[in-house]
Amino acid sequence: SKRDTGDGSAATAPVAKAKTHLRTGIGAEPKTIDSTKSYESAGIEVVMNYCEPLVWYDQQTFKPVPGAAERWDVSPDGKTYTFHLRANATWWGGKLTKPEPVTAGDFVAAWRRLLDPRTAAQYIELPLHMGITGTTAYFAKLKAIEPVAEQLAAAENAGNAAKVVALEPQVQQAYTDLTQLRAGLGFRADGPRTFTVTLDDAARGKILMKLAGFPILCPIHQPTIDRCEPRSEQGDTLPKVCTWTDPEHLVVNGPYLVTEH
């Protein structure tokens, strides 16, 4: 800090080195602080502090301002949005020995995880509302397999082994098909720092930019999730090793780190 010496010059004043805390309330115990699965205000409040989405919003105008993306371009037809990530956007915390760069692939992984029905995310339809290319067909396919998946779950709960054997291959194949469909949806990484989103309708661009800053669409650190919650090659959940959102494991790209829960 500076203080006026009285003669027009400035001298440096000593700065007190005291710990400072800002305490805020979130209202309740979060049901989850998994960025993809969060859905109630308490959990989203925590996620907002540890993650940085593509954009933030100006508190006066509510217009999008740079977040993880330092800038973005829109194609002449209004259907393609290209987000250019900051070079100094980093992952930190958890088991990392040093910060790692946030990449466009981290956003691709997060959005695909959101769309995977096995994630059981409340906001799974966000990409559909944004009009992302391919999501209409994707959700039609998803809706078609829901009855079979429900029958399989009921058979498993009832201990009906014969029905499980009959239905399980159908559901497994459907999930495999969905995985392939997700890979072809209208969002991709065009290089480490270029995240591209294509829309079916240019009018949906406004919705895309209103949702691009929603914490549910934050990137994820896939290696941490894979280490804590591994899956088989077919995508089936394997025994859980750890909880990736626990303070000792959680890797963040936002301004704050969770140190205790």
Side-chain angles (χ1 to χ4, degrees):
S1 64
K2 298 288 185 180
R3 58 181 170 81
D4 191 348
T5 60
D7 61 359
S9 62
T12 301
V15 179
K17 294 182 178 180
K19 289 185 177 180
T20 302
H21 296 82
L22 173 66
R23 303 183 187 276
T24 66
I26 59 175
E29 170 65 19
K31 299 208 178 341
T32 177
I33 60 169
D34 181 321
S35 55
T36 311
K37 296 182 181 181
S38 293
Y39 64 93
E40 35 80 55
S41 60
I44 288 177
E45 184 75 19
V46 176
V47 174
M48 284 175 62
N49 281 281
Y50 80 65
C51 87
E52 181 177 50
L54 288 168
V55 301
W56 296 112
Y57 298 103
D58 184 280
Q59 293 300 294
Q60 300 299 320
T61 67
F62 302 109
K63 291 182 178 180
V65 295
E70 61 184 2
R71 60 185 176 85
W72 49 92
D73 306 317
V74 184
S75 63
D77 65 1
K79 292 184 178 181
T80 302
Y81 284 69
T82 304
F83 296 90
H84 304 276
L85 304 187
R86 289 188 292 109
N88 60 349
T90 56
W91 292 107
W92 60 294
K95 299 296 184 181
L96 295 182
T97 56
K98 61 180 180 180
E100 296 179 358
V102 175
T103 69
D106 298 327
F107 281 93
V108 172
W111 291 26
R112 286 181 182 171
R113 183 172 185 256
L114 172 66
L115 284 160
D116 188 341
R118 290 169 293 190
T119 303
Q122 295 280 340
Y123 287 103
I124 186 173
E125 293 186 350
L126 281 182
L128 177 65
H129 298 320
M130 292 188 288
I132 292 177
T133 301
T135 52
T136 299
Y138 179 84
F139 277 93
K141 177 75 173 178
L142 179 58
K143 188 174 182 61
I145 71 166
E146 282 178 354
V148 183
E150 290 172 358
Q151 291 175 39
L152 175 59
E156 290 174 336
N157 291 333
N160 189 336
K163 198 167 186 179
V164 169
V165 170
L167 293 175
E168 199 166 43
Q170 299 179 45
V171 174
Q172 185 60 60
Q173 183 59 52
Y175 282 141
T176 300
D177 294 343
L178 285 174
T179 299
Q180 294 174 348
L181 285 175
R182 282 196 296 276
L185 295 178
F187 53 89
R188 63 184 186 273
D190 289 329
R193 292 172 48 205
T194 305
F195 182 59
T196 303
V197 180
T198 59
L199 309 175
D200 286 327
D201 180 2
R204 295 293 184 97
K206 291 182 178 180
I207 300 176
L208 167 64
M209 294 310 298
K210 286 183 180 294
L211 292 174
F214 195 34
I216 310 305
L217 297 174
C218 276
I220 57 171
H221 191 257
Q222 191 69 56
T224 295
I225 297 177
D226 290 342
R227 176 173 57 80
C228 285
E229 302 173 9
R231 284 187 172 185
S232 67
E233 291 183 2
Q234 292 74 32
D236 297 321
T237 301
L238 298 175
K240 189 175 180 181
V241 177
C242 53
T243 299
W244 73 272
T245 54
D246 281 351
E248 63 266 36
H249 299 290
L250 183 60
V251 175
V252 307
N253 77 313
Y256 297 103
L257 185 70
V258 177
T259 57
E260 183 182 359
H261 183 191

